Structures are given as C-alpha cells and as structure tokens.
Amino acid sequence: MGFWSSLLGFIGFGIGLPFGLFIGFYFIIYCKNEDVEDPITSLLSELDTVALEDLMPEIPLWVKSPDYDRVDWLNKFISDMWPFLDKAICSIIRSTAEPIFAEYIGKFKIESIEFENLTLGNLPPTIHGLKVFETNERELVMEPAIRWAGNPNIIVQVTISSVQVSVQLVDLRVFAAPRITLKPLVPTIPCFASIVVSLMEKPDIDFGLNLLGGDIMSIPGLYRYVQERIKREVANMYLWPKSLEIPVLDASTVAVKKPVGILHVKVVRAMKLLKMDLLGLSDPYVKLSLSGDKLPVKKTTVKKKTLNPEWNEEFKLSVKEPQSQMLHINVFDWDKVGTHDRLGTQIFPLKHLTPNEPKEVTLDLLKDTSISEPHNKKHRGQILLELTYAPFREDHDGFSGLLNGFSRKYSVIDRVSSIESPKGAGLLLVTVQGAQDVEGSRHNNPYVQIIFRGEMKKSKVESLFYPYLDLNTRGNIMMGRTRNPMWNEEFQFLLEEPPFQEKIHINVMSKRTGISFNSKESLGHVDINLGDVVHNGRINQKYHLIDSKNGVIHVELRWETI
C-alpha cells in the first residue's frame, strides 16, 4: 500500500507541476483586467504636494537644471526627419546583425535567422535638455538627456529543425544620458574629424518580447535578469570612461602634425665650390631647412674668400614626419650688394637615418634638385655633414587616461607625473591660440611677444578691426573692433636641459601701422612657470593677463624629451 501511494504521489507531482506552470503562465500573460478605466487628468496647479513629487522624474531637465538648455527646435527637426532616420537606422541594424546571425547558422539545429519585419515605429526620441561644455581643447562637448518611448515592430524569424519561431520586440523604452564629443575641430566640412560617444550613467532600457503569442518578459525573475544583463553589457562597452568613436573624416587629412624628434646637423666643411668673385674665390655660407616646415631656416656663418670652407657648426631642427621629410641644403655666396648667388643645392631624405645613430654623408652639390636637367651634371663641389635623428621619448605619451572628464589622450592641466623627473635635452613647444577681452587705448593691431632665455619671438599681427553692416546708416559698411584676436601660431625652443625653475614671458602688444610717436602699447602680459609643463608633459590653459582689466590669453605648452 505504501509503495502504491508513493508512486501515485510522484505521478501526481509530475503531472501537476507542468500543468500548474502552464495555467499560471496563461493567466499572467493572457488574462487582462477588463475593469480598466480611463486615466484621470488634472492641471498641475490642482495637484497636491505628494502628487507633484511623484511627477518630478518626468519633468524635463531644462526645467529642473539651469545648465540644461531647452531644444524644442532640435526635437522638431528629429520629428520631421524620423521617417528617413528610421529607414537609415534600420538599414544599419540589418547590415550589422546579419553577420552575427550567420555565426549561429548550423548551431543548435538552427537553420536560418532573418528579420521578418524591422521598423522603429513612428514615435521619435525626444531630447529633454542639452548641456554644452566649454573646454580649452579643439572640441565640442555636449550631454543630451534622451528619452524614447517608441512603438517599434521588430520581428526575428528563427527556423529550428524546420520549425519556424517568431520573436517580436515591442514597447521599447530607453532613457539615456550620453556625452557626445565632436573632435578635433578642423577647417574642413563638417568641421570635426570624429564623434566620440560615452554613457555617463547606466541606461534605463525596458521592452517586451513576444514568443508564441505571449510576452515572455512577464515571467517572474526573467525580467530583472534581462534588465541587469543588458545594463551590464552596455556599461562594459560604452560607460564612461569607455567610449565609441565614429570617424567622420580621414585622420590623415586633418591630423595636426606635431614634432616627433630632433635632427642634429653638423655642417663640417665644403670642398671645391664654384668661383663667384672676381679674384676666383667665394664667400660661402649654408642654409638648412626641412621640407614642409614653416620655421625660419638655420644659417651658418660666412667664410670669406675660400672655396674649401670649414664651419664645424651644429644645428637642431624639429622633425614631424621622419619617413617623408627631407633636409634641404643650400650653399650661397654672400655679397654686400644685390642678391646672394646660390652655389649649389642638395636634399637628403630623413628615412635613410637610423634613430640615435650618427651618420656622416658627403653630398654632391647641384644647380637645382631636378635630376632630369642636363646642366645639373656640372661639378659644383661637395659638402660634408654629420646627421643624427633623435626621436622623442615616449614617457609622457604612455598615459591615455581621462582626468578632466573628457575623452582625450591628454588632460587639460593634470597629467600623470613620473616618479623620476625628466632629464636631458628637449623641445619646448608654445602654441598661442588667441586672446579674449584685450583692448588698447590707442592701437588695434595686437601681436604676441614670447621671451625666453633672452630670445624673443613674435607672432603675426592680428587686426582688431572687422567690417559690419550698420542699419542705422542706410546699410553702410562700417569698421568695428573686436577684442578677441586669434593667432594659432606655434613657437619652438630647443633646450639642452629641462626648464624646471624657469618662466616664460608672454606679452600681448599692439602696434600702430602708420607713423606715430607712441608706436607700441602693451595690452597685458603673463609669466608661466615651466616646471609644471616639464612634469606634466602638456598644459592647455587660459591665463589672465596682468595689467589688463579683463584680458585672457589661451596658451598651450608642451615639453618633449629627446
């Protein structure tokens, strides 16, 4: 008797458990409350405190936060463009998903996976507020608050052992706060090279998944598991500081070339140069420059009355592209009156140099660098050079973190410092971007003076006058004044030792173009401690000008160790 009762109990449990789960699944998914009433609508002024507190999460950010802007115009634009954006986005989804589907064909008896229907619906996402950040970098950073309660109809048909199963995604709801960075800003349409997207917090994603006519997300426990899984996977890929970078322009066409090393050139001697003077001699000197470089040429001293001069003079030139740049060597004959005659010229490709290995080269001088010309065969002498290419160290570029909250390789001010202070020769790069709110009492042609170790370098003159249309004078073109000049000029200082305890002096001057007793006027100056630049590798900052009421100058400084 005991045996039969136990057997019947096991049978009853085996039949009752699946039957109970089936009935429960049916009532959860298919049974709907028929006593559904229309929601009660009320004015905000009629709600009590508790009801208003419940509505706070639904209020747009531009209402709650003053640093968020209202962007109804952008929502209108997205709404009008949504039918076209829907097709474009669905095309991207389809092309991205099809290779993924193909990986599962043949596994788990899956015969095919394809989209039966793919549309995002007619309800576009809305932006509840937009925050724009101001940085010192060449970039535009903004944070939109995106909400999308869409009605997509996405049906994926899966064929398993000749049985077709349809899975439908419905009732999609997404709340996200991405950070979108357009960088770097370049003078080429569309004026930025790439789009970098990061999520500042885990997104809120909710959706329904219909399978065999019922929403399987209604199964207890499954909904929470899927939600956490999606948030975790999205966070692993795109949660700040991780990001998704979408290239817009070819990097090679918009990249700002920075120096990557130093070329040491020792001009030793020249042999058997051409006779240019009446006495059968010449007064030779040498000019050195790199192709694609706008910096002033390097020049040796003049050796009087000789055809076999010896200089033994050393020069340093900053290199930006060692694989493509060439060293231009030009030998001239100095004259007191008139132009200096060129005795010969030659070029040397830097790609023939091994880093940090000296190389002695003897070059035949030509009339010009065109090898097809027959007159180049005339003997014009030779020149002996000692060349060494020294690339910069990689100490400061090893860190690529995000200290300032923006997606960039370098931070604005903070930089991870090495435990050991940098030593050895290096290149100090000073880039003067521009100034703001500078104004002279008499002059309006500002330029910048950079003084370091007794050496002074000057920028171009930026006129403060600009034309504008004056409607009060019947549309006449008038000349106004702007107090925000832009230079965007780079200056280089080659140093034997890092400038730990030194400062660089930057002075904003104004120069009158005509004849005047007071031809120059100082608009403000600043002294910058270079110790921070050496330790951090790079500083990009705006400095308040001394002796200026509201003047600010934007300067980027970099130190590269050889």
Side-chain angles (χ1 to χ4, degrees):
M1 189 67 180
F3 170 75
W4 290 108
S5 61
S6 300
L7 179 60
L8 292 175
F10 278 114
I11 295 174
F13 178 77
I15 296 175
L17 180 61
F19 184 75
L21 290 175
F22 176 76
I23 295 297
F25 179 77
Y26 178 83
F27 278 102
I28 290 175
I29 296 178
Y30 292 98
C31 292
K32 299 180 180 179
N33 187 3
E34 296 181 357
D35 300 329
V36 177
E37 299 179 356
D38 294 332
I40 301 175
T41 58
S42 303
L43 298 175
L44 290 178
S45 58
E46 299 176 355
L47 299 178
D48 55 11
T49 304
V50 177
L52 287 174
E53 290 177 352
D54 294 338
L55 287 176
M56 285 300 293
E58 304 300 327
I59 296 178
L61 284 175
W62 59 267
V63 177
K64 297 183 290 184
S65 302
D67 52 347
Y68 276 86
D69 296 324
R70 185 175 180 178
V71 285
D72 288 345
W73 64 270
L74 185 55
N75 289 324
K76 173 63 176 174
F77 174 80
I78 296 175
S79 177
D80 293 342
M81 290 290 295
W82 185 244
F84 307 96
L85 291 173
D86 176 23
K87 295 180 180 179
I89 295 173
C90 288
S91 176
I92 295 175
I93 294 174
R94 189 183 298 274
S95 61
T96 304
E98 286 178 351
I100 300 176
F101 291 166
E103 295 179 0
Y104 290 92
I105 303 299
K107 299 180 181 179
F108 312 108
K109 298 184 179 180
I110 297 177
E111 298 177 0
S112 66
I113 306 176
E114 57 184 13
F115 285 104
E116 182 180 337
N117 197 359
L118 178 58
T119 176
L120 300 181
N122 56 6
L123 298 178
T126 58
I127 299 176
H128 281 225
L130 180 66
K131 181 194 295 185
V132 180
F133 294 88
E134 180 180 356
T135 74
N136 292 332
E137 304 296 327
R138 296 185 306 141
E139 62 185 14
L140 176 62
V141 183
M142 50 190 171
E143 287 185 7
I146 301 175
R147 295 188 178 186
W148 183 30
N151 57 343
N153 184 17
I154 303 176
I155 302 176
V156 178
Q157 189 178 81
V158 183
T159 304
I160 305 176
S161 299
S162 302
V163 178
Q164 292 185 349
V165 179
S166 296
V167 182
Q168 183 181 19
L169 178 69
V170 294
D171 300 331
L172 179 62
R173 182 174 64 91
V174 179
F175 293 171
R179 170 170 288 173
I180 302 175
T181 305
L182 310 180
K183 69 171 190 178
L185 301 180
V186 295
T188 304
I189 298 295
C191 297
F192 55 89
S194 63
I195 304 174
V196 181
V197 181
S198 294
L199 294 175
M200 304 312 297
E201 57 186 30
K202 293 182 179 180
D204 182 10
I205 302 176
D206 188 15
F207 59 89
L209 206 60
N210 289 342
L211 178 64
L212 300 177
D215 188 1
I216 62 174
M217 299 301 292
S218 300
I219 299 177
L222 180 61
Y223 174 78
R224 182 177 297 275
Y225 171 77
V226 173
Q227 287 284 312
E228 295 299 325
R229 183 74 179 181
I230 292 175
K231 289 183 178 180
R232 189 183 304 113
E233 293 298 328
V234 173
N236 290 337
M237 293 188 294
Y238 305 121
L239 188 64
W240 187 91
K242 297 179 180 179
S243 62
L244 170 66
E245 183 169 358
I246 305 171
V248 177
L249 297 176
D250 185 4
S252 61
T253 61
V254 298
V256 178
K257 297 180 177 62
K258 295 291 184 180
V260 296
I262 297 296
L263 177 65
H264 298 263
V265 182
K266 182 177 180 179
V267 183
V268 182
R269 69 178 69 90
M271 295 80 72
K272 300 179 180 179
L273 298 177
L274 289 180
K275 303 174 183 179
M276 302 299 292
D277 294 343
L278 295 177
L279 299 178
L281 297 174
S282 297
D283 302 322
Y285 68 93
V286 181
K287 284 185 177 182
L288 302 172
S289 62
L290 287 176
S291 60
D293 198 345
K294 298 181 180 180
L295 296 175
V297 299
K298 305 293 183 180
K299 187 162 59 173
T300 67
T301 57
V302 178
K303 298 298 179 180
K304 296 288 188 177
K305 295 180 173 54
T306 178
L307 300 180
N308 299 286
E310 290 202 17
W311 288 282
N312 290 310
E313 298 180 18
E314 297 183 5
F315 303 91
K316 298 176 183 177
L317 298 91
S318 61
V319 179
K320 295 182 178 180
E321 295 180 287
Q323 294 300 317
S324 60
Q325 279 188 293
M326 294 188 179
L327 174 64
H328 289 257
I329 307 104
N330 291 282
V331 183
F332 288 88
D333 175 45
W334 181 85
D335 288 319
K336 276 188 178 181
V337 182
T339 59
H340 300 177
D341 297 323
R342 187 164 66 179
L343 300 176
T345 185
Q346 189 54 274
I347 57 175
F348 183 83
L350 300 189
K351 63 181 179 180
H352 294 162
L353 297 176
T354 303
N356 298 316
E357 290 187 11
K359 184 172 184 177
E360 188 176 277
V361 295
T362 301
L363 304 175
D364 293 325
L365 295 175
L366 307 174
K367 184 175 182 180
D368 55 54
T369 56
S370 177
I371 60 175
S372 61
E373 296 294 333
H375 55 251
N376 279 331
K377 297 180 180 180
K378 181 180 179 181
H379 183 74
R380 291 178 171 268
Q382 294 178 318
I383 188 168
L384 176 62
L385 305 175
E386 291 181 6
L387 307 175
T388 305
Y389 170 61
F392 293 140
R393 298 178 189 172
E394 299 295 333
D395 299 342
H396 294 299
D397 293 340
F399 176 73
S400 59
L402 311 174
L403 299 181
N404 178 339
F406 304 113
S407 176
R408 62 174 67 93
K409 185 173 182 179
Y410 299 99
S411 66
V412 175
I413 300 177
D414 300 315
R415 188 73 178 268
V416 172
S417 302
S418 302
I419 298 176
E420 184 179 355
S421 298
K423 297 179 181 179
L427 179 66
L428 177 64
L429 296 163
V430 183
T431 304
V432 182
Q433 304 285 0
Q436 297 177 357
D437 297 327
V438 293
E439 186 175 10
S441 59
R442 298 181 300 274
H443 311 307
N444 303 283
N445 297 286
Y447 62 95
V448 175
Q449 289 180 343
I450 301 177
I451 304 174
F452 180 65
R453 292 185 178 179
E455 181 181 2
M456 184 180 71
K457 298 185 178 183
K458 296 196 303 183
S459 72
K460 63 184 179 182
V461 176
E462 182 74 11
S463 176
L464 279 177
F465 286 105
Y466 69 97
Y468 70 95
L469 185 65
D470 189 0
L471 298 179
N472 295 325
T473 58
R474 297 181 181 180
N476 293 333
I477 301 296
M478 308 295 291
M479 295 300 293
R481 291 169 56 181
T482 175
R483 298 180 298 171
N484 306 313
M486 298 295 295
W487 293 287
N488 292 319
E489 285 194 53
E490 182 182 87
F491 305 90
Q492 300 179 1
F493 297 88
L494 287 166
L495 310 177
E496 295 298 331
E497 293 291 335
F500 288 110
Q501 306 297 329
E502 299 181 69
K503 293 183 179 181
I504 189 169
H505 181 80
I506 300 179
N507 192 15
V508 181
M509 302 290 295
S510 184
K511 182 179 180 180
R512 183 176 291 239
T513 55
I515 301 176
S516 173
F517 293 104
N518 298 318
S519 60
K520 296 181 181 180
E521 177 186 4
S522 177
L523 306 181
H525 68 275
V526 64
D527 293 311
I528 303 175
N529 190 346
L530 296 179
D532 296 335
V533 182
V534 175
H535 287 293
N536 295 328
R538 176 178 182 264
I539 286 181
N540 186 13
Q541 189 171 323
K542 293 181 180 179
Y543 299 88
H544 290 280
L545 292 172
I546 302 173
D547 296 335
S548 176
K549 184 177 181 181
N550 300 310
V552 175
I553 188 168
H554 183 188
V555 181
E556 177 187 355
L557 300 106
R558 294 178 60 199
W559 171 255
E560 298 287 357
T561 305
I562 301 176

